[in-house]
Coordinates of all heavy atoms in Angstrom, one line a residue:
T1 N 0.8 -1.2 0.0 CA 0.0 0.0 0.0 C 0.8 1.3 0.0 O 0.3 2.3 -0.3 CB -0.9 0.0 1.2 OG1 -0.2 0.0 2.4 CG2 -2.0 -1.1 1.1
G2 N 2.1 1.1 0.3 CA 3.0 2.3 0.4 C 3.2 3.0 -0.9 O 3.1 4.3 -1.0
I3 N 3.4 2.3 -2.0 CA 3.7 2.9 -3.3 C 2.4 3.6 -3.8 O 2.5 4.7 -4.3 CB 4.2 1.8 -4.3 CG1 5.6 1.4 -3.8 CG2 4.3 2.4 -5.7 CD1 6.2 0.2 -4.5
P4 N 1.2 2.9 -3.8 CA 0.1 3.6 -4.3 C -0.3 4.9 -3.5 O -0.6 5.9 -4.1 CB -1.1 2.6 -4.2 CG -0.4 1.3 -4.2 CD 1.0 1.5 -3.6
L5 N -0.1 4.8 -2.2 CA -0.4 6.0 -1.4 C 0.6 7.1 -1.7 O 0.2 8.3 -1.8 CB -0.4 5.7 0.1 CG -1.5 4.8 0.6 CD1 -1.3 4.4 2.0 CD2 -2.9 5.4 0.4
T6 N 1.8 6.8 -1.8 CA 2.9 7.8 -2.2 C 2.6 8.4 -3.5 O 2.7 9.6 -3.7 CB 4.2 7.1 -2.2 OG1 4.5 6.6 -0.9 CG2 5.3 8.1 -2.5
S7 N 2.2 7.6 -4.5 CA 1.9 8.0 -5.8 C 0.7 9.0 -5.8 O 0.8 10.1 -6.5 CB 1.6 6.9 -6.8 OG 2.7 6.0 -6.8
V8 N -0.3 8.7 -5.1 CA -1.5 9.6 -5.0 C -1.0 11.0 -4.5 O -1.4 12.0 -5.0 CB -2.6 9.0 -4.1 CG1 -3.6 10.1 -3.8 CG2 -3.2 7.8 -4.8
E9 N -0.3 11.0 -3.4 CA 0.1 12.3 -2.8 C 1.1 13.0 -3.7 O 1.0 14.3 -3.8 CB 0.8 12.0 -1.4 CG -0.2 11.5 -0.4 CD -1.5 12.4 -0.2 OE1 -1.3 13.6 -0.2 OE2 -2.6 11.8 -0.1
L10 N 2.0 12.3 -4.3 CA 3.0 13.0 -5.2 C 2.3 13.6 -6.5 O 2.6 14.6 -7.0 CB 4.1 12.1 -5.6 CG 5.1 11.8 -4.5 CD1 6.1 10.8 -5.0 CD2 5.8 13.0 -4.0
T11 N 1.3 12.9 -7.0 CA 0.5 13.4 -8.1 C -0.2 14.7 -7.7 O -0.1 15.6 -8.5 CB -0.6 12.3 -8.5 OG1 0.1 11.1 -9.0 CG2 -1.4 12.9 -9.6
R12 N -0.7 14.8 -6.5 CA -1.3 16.0 -6.0 C -0.3 17.1 -5.9 O -0.5 18.2 -6.3 CB -2.0 15.8 -4.7 CG -3.3 15.1 -4.8 CD -4.0 15.0 -3.4 NE -5.0 13.9 -3.4 CZ -5.4 13.3 -2.4 NH1 -4.8 13.5 -1.2 NH2 -6.3 12.3 -2.5
A13 N 0.8 16.8 -5.3 CA 1.9 17.8 -5.0 C 2.5 18.4 -6.2 O 2.8 19.5 -6.2 CB 2.9 17.1 -4.1
F14 N 2.6 17.6 -7.3 CA 3.3 18.0 -8.5 C 2.3 18.3 -9.6 O 2.7 18.4 -10.8 CB 4.3 17.0 -8.9 CG 5.6 16.9 -8.1 CD1 5.6 16.1 -7.0 CD2 6.6 17.7 -8.4 CE1 6.8 16.0 -6.2 CE2 7.8 17.7 -7.6 CZ 7.9 16.9 -6.5
S15 N 1.0 18.4 -9.3 CA 0.0 18.5 -10.4 C 0.2 19.7 -11.3 O -0.3 19.7 -12.4 CB -1.4 18.4 -9.8 OG -1.6 19.6 -8.9
L16 N 0.7 20.8 -10.7 CA 0.9 22.0 -11.5 C 2.2 22.1 -12.3 O 2.4 23.1 -13.0 CB 0.6 23.2 -10.6 CG -0.7 23.3 -10.0 CD1 -0.8 24.5 -9.1 CD2 -1.8 23.3 -11.0
M17 N 3.0 21.1 -12.1 CA 4.3 21.2 -12.8 C 4.4 20.3 -14.0 O 3.6 19.3 -14.1 CB 5.4 20.7 -11.8 CG 5.6 21.6 -10.6 SD 6.9 21.1 -9.5 CE 8.3 21.3 -10.5
P18 N 5.2 20.6 -15.0 CA 5.3 19.8 -16.2 C 6.2 18.6 -15.9 O 7.4 18.6 -16.3 CB 5.9 20.8 -17.2 CG 6.7 21.7 -16.4 CD 6.0 21.9 -15.1
C19 N 5.6 17.6 -15.3 CA 6.3 16.4 -14.9 C 5.4 15.2 -14.8 O 4.2 15.4 -15.0 CB 7.1 16.6 -13.6 SG 6.0 16.9 -12.2
H20 N 5.9 14.1 -14.6 CA 5.1 12.9 -14.4 C 5.8 11.9 -13.5 O 6.9 12.0 -13.2 CB 4.7 12.2 -15.8 CG 5.9 11.6 -16.4 ND1 6.9 12.3 -17.1 CD2 6.3 10.3 -16.5 CE1 7.8 11.5 -17.6 NE2 7.5 10.2 -17.2
L21 N 5.0 10.9 -13.0 CA 5.5 9.9 -12.1 C 5.9 8.7 -12.9 O 5.2 8.3 -13.9 CB 4.5 9.5 -11.1 CG 3.9 10.5 -10.1 CD1 3.0 9.9 -9.1 CD2 5.0 11.2 -9.4
R22 N 7.0 8.0 -12.5 CA 7.4 6.7 -13.1 C 7.4 5.8 -11.9 O 8.0 6.0 -10.9 CB 8.8 6.8 -13.7 CG 8.8 7.7 -15.0 CD 10.2 7.9 -15.5 NE 10.9 6.7 -15.7 CZ 11.0 6.1 -16.9 NH1 10.5 6.6 -18.0 NH2 11.8 5.0 -17.0
I23 N 6.7 4.7 -12.0 CA 6.6 3.7 -10.9 C 7.4 2.5 -11.3 O 7.1 1.8 -12.2 CB 5.1 3.3 -10.7 CG1 4.2 4.5 -10.6 CG2 5.0 2.4 -9.5 CD1 4.5 5.4 -9.5
Q24 N 8.4 2.3 -10.5 CA 9.3 1.1 -10.6 C 9.9 1.0 -12.0 O 10.0 -0.1 -12.6 CB 8.6 -0.1 -10.1 CG 8.3 0.0 -8.6 CD 7.5 -1.2 -8.1 OE1 6.7 -1.8 -8.8 NE2 7.8 -1.6 -6.9
H25 N 10.3 2.1 -12.6 CA 11.0 2.1 -13.9 C 12.4 2.6 -13.7 O 12.7 3.4 -12.8 CB 10.3 3.0 -14.9 CG 9.0 2.4 -15.3 ND1 8.9 1.3 -16.2 CD2 7.7 2.8 -15.0 CE1 7.6 1.1 -16.4 NE2 6.9 1.9 -15.7
P26 N 13.3 2.1 -14.6 CA 14.8 2.6 -14.4 C 15.0 4.0 -14.6 O 14.3 4.7 -15.4 CB 15.5 1.8 -15.5 CG 14.5 0.7 -16.0 CD 13.2 1.2 -15.7
V27 N 16.0 4.5 -13.9 CA 16.5 5.9 -14.2 C 18.0 5.7 -14.4 O 18.6 4.8 -13.8 CB 16.2 6.8 -13.0 CG1 14.7 7.1 -12.9 CG2 16.8 6.3 -11.7
A28 N 18.6 6.5 -15.3 CA 20.0 6.3 -15.6 C 20.8 7.3 -14.8 O 20.9 8.5 -15.1 CB 20.2 6.6 -17.1
L29 N 21.4 6.9 -13.7 CA 22.2 7.7 -12.8 C 23.6 7.8 -13.3 O 24.3 8.8 -13.1 CB 22.2 7.2 -11.4 CG 20.8 7.2 -10.7 CD1 20.9 6.8 -9.3 CD2 20.1 8.6 -10.8
S30 N 24.1 6.8 -14.0 CA 25.4 6.8 -14.6 C 25.4 5.7 -15.7 O 24.4 5.0 -15.8 CB 26.5 6.6 -13.6 OG 26.5 5.3 -13.1
E31 N 26.6 5.5 -16.3 CA 26.7 4.4 -17.3 C 26.5 3.1 -16.7 O 26.0 2.1 -17.3 CB 28.0 4.5 -18.1 CG 28.1 5.6 -19.0 CD 29.4 5.6 -19.8 OE1 30.0 4.5 -20.0 OE2 29.8 6.6 -20.3
N32 N 26.9 3.0 -15.4 CA 26.8 1.7 -14.7 C 25.7 1.6 -13.7 O 25.7 0.6 -12.9 CB 28.2 1.5 -14.0 CG 29.3 1.5 -15.0 OD1 29.2 0.9 -16.1 ND2 30.4 2.1 -14.6
S33 N 24.9 2.5 -13.6 CA 23.8 2.5 -12.6 C 22.5 2.9 -13.1 O 22.3 4.1 -13.5 CB 24.2 3.5 -11.4 OG 23.3 3.5 -10.4
E34 N 21.6 2.0 -13.1 CA 20.2 2.2 -13.5 C 19.2 1.6 -12.5 O 18.6 0.6 -12.8 CB 19.9 1.6 -14.9 CG 20.6 2.4 -16.0 CD 20.2 1.9 -17.4 OE1 19.4 0.9 -17.5 OE2 20.6 2.6 -18.4
P35 N 19.2 2.2 -11.4 CA 18.2 1.7 -10.3 C 16.8 1.9 -10.7 O 16.5 2.6 -11.6 CB 18.6 2.6 -9.1 CG 19.1 3.8 -9.7 CD 19.8 3.4 -10.9
E36 N 15.9 1.1 -10.1 CA 14.5 1.2 -10.3 C 13.8 1.6 -9.0 O 13.3 0.8 -8.3 CB 14.0 -0.2 -10.8 CG 14.6 -0.6 -12.1 CD 14.1 -2.0 -12.6 OE1 13.2 -2.5 -12.0 OE2 14.7 -2.5 -13.5
P37 N 13.8 2.9 -8.8 CA 13.1 3.4 -7.5 C 11.6 3.1 -7.6 O 11.0 2.9 -8.6 CB 13.4 4.9 -7.6 CG 13.6 5.2 -9.0 CD 14.2 4.0 -9.6
D38 N 11.1 3.0 -6.4 CA 9.6 2.8 -6.3 C 8.8 3.9 -7.1 O 7.9 3.6 -7.8 CB 9.1 2.7 -4.9 CG 9.6 1.4 -4.2 OD1 9.8 0.4 -4.9 OD2 9.9 1.4 -3.0
V39 N 9.2 5.1 -6.8 CA 8.5 6.2 -7.5 C 9.6 7.2 -7.9 O 10.5 7.6 -7.1 CB 7.5 6.9 -6.6 CG1 6.8 8.0 -7.4 CG2 6.5 5.9 -6.1
A40 N 9.5 7.7 -9.1 CA 10.4 8.8 -9.6 C 9.5 9.9 -10.2 O 8.6 9.6 -10.9 CB 11.4 8.4 -10.6
V41 N 9.7 11.1 -9.8 CA 9.1 12.3 -10.4 C 10.1 12.9 -11.4 O 11.2 13.2 -11.0 CB 8.7 13.3 -9.3 CG1 8.0 14.5 -10.0 CG2 7.8 12.7 -8.3
V42 N 9.7 12.9 -12.6 CA 10.7 13.3 -13.7 C 10.1 14.5 -14.5 O 8.8 14.5 -14.7 CB 11.1 12.2 -14.6 CG1 11.9 11.1 -13.8 CG2 10.0 11.6 -15.3
A43 N 10.9 15.3 -15.0 CA 10.5 16.5 -15.8 C 9.9 16.0 -17.1 O 10.4 15.0 -17.7 CB 11.7 17.4 -16.0
G44 N 9.0 16.8 -17.6 CA 8.5 16.5 -19.0 C 7.4 15.5 -19.0 O 6.8 15.1 -18.0
N45 N 7.1 15.0 -20.2 CA 6.1 14.0 -20.4 C 6.6 12.6 -20.7 O 7.8 12.5 -21.0 CB 5.1 14.5 -21.5 CG 5.7 14.6 -22.8 OD1 6.3 13.7 -23.3 ND2 5.6 15.8 -23.4
V46 N 5.8 11.7 -20.7 CA 6.2 10.3 -20.9 C 6.9 10.1 -22.3 O 7.9 9.3 -22.3 CB 5.0 9.3 -20.8 CG1 5.3 7.9 -21.1 CG2 4.3 9.5 -19.4
R47 N 6.4 10.7 -23.3 CA 7.0 10.5 -24.6 C 8.5 10.9 -24.7 O 9.2 10.4 -25.6 CB 6.2 11.3 -25.7 CG 4.8 10.7 -25.8 CD 4.0 11.6 -26.8 NE 2.6 11.2 -26.7 CZ 2.0 10.5 -27.6 NH1 2.6 10.1 -28.7 NH2 0.7 10.2 -27.5
Q48 N 8.9 11.9 -23.9 CA 10.3 12.3 -23.9 C 11.2 11.1 -23.5 O 12.4 11.2 -23.9 CB 10.5 13.4 -22.9 CG 9.9 14.7 -23.3 CD 10.1 15.8 -22.3 OE1 9.2 16.2 -21.7 NE2 11.4 16.2 -22.1
Y49 N 10.7 10.1 -22.9 CA 11.6 9.0 -22.4 C 11.3 7.7 -23.2 O 11.5 6.6 -22.7 CB 11.4 8.8 -20.9 CG 11.7 10.2 -20.2 CD1 10.7 11.0 -19.8 CD2 13.0 10.6 -20.1 CE1 11.0 12.2 -19.2 CE2 13.3 11.8 -19.5 CZ 12.3 12.6 -19.0 OH 12.5 13.8 -18.4
A50 N 10.7 7.8 -24.4 CA 10.4 6.6 -25.1 C 11.6 5.9 -25.5 O 11.6 4.6 -25.7 CB 9.6 7.0 -26.4
N51 N 12.8 6.6 -25.7 CA 14.0 5.9 -26.2 C 15.2 6.1 -25.3 O 16.3 5.7 -25.6 CB 14.4 6.5 -27.6 CG 13.4 6.3 -28.6 OD1 12.9 5.1 -28.8 ND2 13.0 7.3 -29.4
R52 N 14.9 6.6 -24.1 CA 15.9 6.7 -23.1 C 15.3 6.8 -21.7 O 14.2 7.1 -21.5 CB 16.8 7.9 -23.3 CG 16.1 9.2 -23.0 CD 17.0 10.4 -23.2 NE 16.4 11.7 -22.9 CZ 16.4 12.3 -21.7 NH1 17.0 11.7 -20.7 NH2 15.8 13.4 -21.5
H53 N 16.1 6.5 -20.7 CA 15.7 6.6 -19.3 C 16.0 8.0 -18.8 O 17.0 8.7 -19.3 CB 16.5 5.6 -18.4 CG 16.2 4.2 -18.7 ND1 15.0 3.6 -18.9 CD2 17.1 3.2 -18.9 CE1 15.1 2.4 -19.2 NE2 16.4 2.0 -19.2
P54 N 15.2 8.5 -17.8 CA 15.6 9.8 -17.3 C 17.0 9.8 -16.7 O 17.4 8.8 -16.1 CB 14.5 10.0 -16.2 CG 13.4 9.1 -16.5 CD 14.1 7.9 -17.2
E55 N 17.7 10.9 -16.8 CA 19.0 11.1 -16.3 C 18.9 12.1 -15.1 O 17.9 12.7 -14.8 CB 19.9 11.6 -17.4 CG 20.0 10.7 -18.5 CD 20.7 11.3 -19.7 OE1 21.0 12.5 -19.7 OE2 21.0 10.5 -20.7
P56 N 20.0 12.2 -14.3 CA 20.0 13.1 -13.1 C 19.3 14.5 -13.4 O 18.6 14.9 -12.5 CB 21.4 13.2 -12.7 CG 22.0 11.8 -13.1 CD 21.3 11.6 -14.4
A57 N 19.6 15.1 -14.5 CA 19.1 16.4 -14.7 C 17.5 16.4 -14.9 O 16.9 17.4 -14.7 CB 19.7 17.0 -16.0
D58 N 17.0 15.2 -15.3 CA 15.6 15.1 -15.5 C 14.8 14.8 -14.2 O 13.6 14.9 -14.2 CB 15.3 13.9 -16.5 CG 16.0 14.1 -17.8 OD1 16.0 15.2 -18.3 OD2 16.6 13.1 -18.3
I59 N 15.5 14.3 -13.2 CA 14.8 13.8 -12.0 C 14.6 14.9 -11.0 O 15.5 15.5 -10.5 CB 15.7 12.6 -11.4 CG1 15.9 11.5 -12.4 CG2 15.1 12.1 -10.1 CD1 17.0 10.5 -12.1
L60 N 13.3 15.0 -10.6 CA 12.9 16.0 -9.6 C 12.9 15.3 -8.2 O 13.3 16.0 -7.2 CB 11.6 16.5 -9.9 CG 11.4 17.2 -11.3 CD1 10.0 17.6 -11.5 CD2 12.4 18.3 -11.4
L61 N 12.6 14.0 -8.1 CA 12.5 13.4 -6.8 C 12.5 11.9 -7.0 O 11.8 11.4 -7.9 CB 11.2 13.8 -6.1 CG 10.9 13.1 -4.8 CD1 11.8 13.6 -3.7 CD2 9.4 13.4 -4.4
L62 N 13.2 11.2 -6.2 CA 13.2 9.7 -6.2 C 12.7 9.2 -4.8 O 13.1 9.8 -3.8 CB 14.6 9.1 -6.4 CG 15.3 9.3 -7.7 CD1 16.7 8.7 -7.7 CD2 14.5 8.7 -8.8
V63 N 11.9 8.2 -4.8 CA 11.3 7.7 -3.6 C 11.5 6.2 -3.5 O 11.1 5.5 -4.5 CB 9.8 8.1 -3.4 CG1 9.3 7.5 -2.1 CG2 9.6 9.6 -3.5
E64 N 12.0 5.7 -2.5 CA 12.0 4.2 -2.2 C 11.2 4.0 -1.0 O 11.4 4.5 0.1 CB 13.5 3.8 -2.0 CG 13.7 2.3 -1.9 CD 13.5 1.6 -3.2 OE1 13.6 2.2 -4.3 OE2 13.1 0.4 -3.1
V65 N 10.1 3.2 -1.2 CA 9.2 2.9 -0.1 C 9.7 1.6 0.5 O 9.8 0.6 -0.1 CB 7.7 2.7 -0.6 CG1 6.8 2.4 0.5 CG2 7.3 4.0 -1.3
A66 N 9.9 1.6 1.8 CA 10.4 0.5 2.5 C 9.4 -0.2 3.4 O 9.6 -0.4 4.6 CB 11.6 0.9 3.4
D67 N 8.3 -0.6 2.8 CA 7.2 -1.2 3.6 C 7.8 -2.5 4.3 O 7.7 -2.6 5.5 CB 6.1 -1.7 2.7 CG 5.1 -0.6 2.3 OD1 5.1 0.4 3.0 OD2 4.4 -0.7 1.3
S68 N 8.3 -3.4 3.5 CA 8.8 -4.6 4.1 C 10.2 -5.0 3.6 O 10.8 -6.0 4.0 CB 7.9 -5.8 3.8 OG 7.8 -5.9 2.5
S69 N 10.8 -4.1 2.8 CA 12.0 -4.5 2.1 C 13.2 -3.7 2.6 O 14.3 -3.8 2.0 CB 11.9 -4.3 0.6 OG 11.7 -3.0 0.3
R70 N 13.1 -3.0 3.7 CA 14.2 -2.1 4.1 C 15.6 -2.9 4.2 O 16.6 -2.4 3.7 CB 13.9 -1.5 5.4 CG 15.0 -0.5 5.9 CD 14.7 0.1 7.2 NE 14.6 -1.0 8.2 CZ 14.3 -0.9 9.5 NH1 13.9 0.2 9.9 NH2 14.3 -2.0 10.3
D71 N 15.6 -4.0 4.9 CA 16.8 -4.8 5.1 C 17.4 -5.2 3.8 O 18.6 -5.1 3.5 CB 16.6 -5.9 6.1 CG 16.3 -5.5 7.5 OD1 16.7 -4.3 7.8 OD2 15.7 -6.2 8.2
F72 N 16.5 -5.8 2.9 CA 17.0 -6.3 1.6 C 17.5 -5.1 0.8 O 18.6 -5.2 0.2 CB 15.8 -6.9 0.8 CG 16.1 -7.2 -0.6 CD1 16.9 -8.4 -0.9 CD2 15.8 -6.4 -1.6 CE1 17.2 -8.7 -2.2 CE2 16.1 -6.7 -2.9 CZ 16.8 -7.9 -3.2
D73 N 16.8 -4.0 0.8 CA 17.3 -2.8 0.0 C 18.6 -2.3 0.5 O 19.5 -2.0 -0.3 CB 16.3 -1.7 0.1 CG 15.0 -2.0 -0.6 OD1 14.9 -2.9 -1.4 OD2 14.0 -1.3 -0.3
R74 N 18.8 -2.3 1.8 CA 20.1 -1.8 2.3 C 21.3 -2.7 2.0 O 22.4 -2.3 1.8 CB 20.0 -1.6 3.8 CG 19.1 -0.3 4.2 CD 19.2 0.0 5.6 NE 18.4 1.2 5.9 CZ 18.1 1.6 7.1 NH1 18.4 0.9 8.1 NH2 17.5 2.8 7.2
R75 N 21.0 -4.0 2.0 CA 22.1 -5.0 1.7 C 22.3 -5.2 0.2 O 23.3 -5.0 -0.3 CB 21.8 -6.3 2.4 CG 22.1 -6.3 3.9 CD 22.1 -7.7 4.5 NE 21.0 -7.6 5.4 CZ 19.9 -8.3 5.4 NH1 19.6 -9.2 4.4 NH2 19.0 -8.2 6.3
Q76 N 21.2 -5.6 -0.5 CA 21.3 -6.0 -1.9 C 21.4 -4.8 -2.8 O 22.3 -4.8 -3.7 CB 20.1 -6.9 -2.3 CG 20.0 -8.2 -1.5 CD 21.3 -9.0 -1.7 OE1 21.8 -9.2 -2.8 NE2 21.7 -9.7 -0.7
K77 N 20.6 -3.8 -2.7 CA 20.6 -2.7 -3.6 C 21.7 -1.8 -3.4 O 22.2 -1.1 -4.3 CB 19.3 -1.9 -3.5 CG 18.1 -2.6 -4.1 CD 16.9 -1.8 -4.1 CE 15.7 -2.4 -4.7 NZ 14.5 -1.6 -4.8
A78 N 22.2 -1.7 -2.2 CA 23.4 -0.9 -1.9 C 24.7 -1.4 -2.4 O 25.6 -0.7 -2.6 CB 23.5 -0.7 -0.4
A79 N 24.7 -2.7 -2.7 CA 25.9 -3.4 -3.2 C 26.3 -3.0 -4.6 O 25.6 -2.5 -5.4 CB 25.8 -4.9 -3.1

């Protein structure tokens, strides 16, 4: 329930900005790092990312919801 609730609130918070939410999709932080955050708020519209992942300059906010995966995330994803 954490991700849907977060998405609802972020949609409201960013509703007046030219951006959209990406739910569990990759973002390109570097050539070797494409994490899949639970929610990412990225600039622009969905079509802008049809052929590429959002990069740091495109990312307004990243959210990782740790309902039950906190320990896994800290060990496995941090590696």
Side-chain angles (χ1 to χ4, degrees):
T1 58
I3 295 171
L5 291 174
T6 301
S7 298
V8 167
E9 293 305 319
L10 290 175
T11 298
R12 284 185 199 154
F14 287 91
S15 65
L16 299 178
M17 294 183 68
C19 61
H20 69 282
L21 299 184
R22 292 172 56 96
I23 310 299
Q24 297 178 325
H25 289 287
V27 294
L29 298 184
S30 71
E31 287 186 26
N32 301 320
S33 179
E34 290 188 353
E36 297 178 10
D38 289 328
V39 182
V41 180
V42 297
N45 63 55
V46 175
R47 293 176 194 256
Q48 288 179 248
Y49 305 100
N51 297 313
R52 69 176 182 91
H53 299 312
E55 298 171 350
D58 305 315
I59 299 167
L60 304 176
L61 177 70
L62 293 178
V63 178
E64 187 69 24
V65 178
D67 282 337
S68 61
S69 65
R70 182 184 63 187
D71 293 335
F72 174 79
D73 292 343
R74 286 186 175 169
R75 279 189 245 117
Q76 298 298 321
K77 288 186 177 181

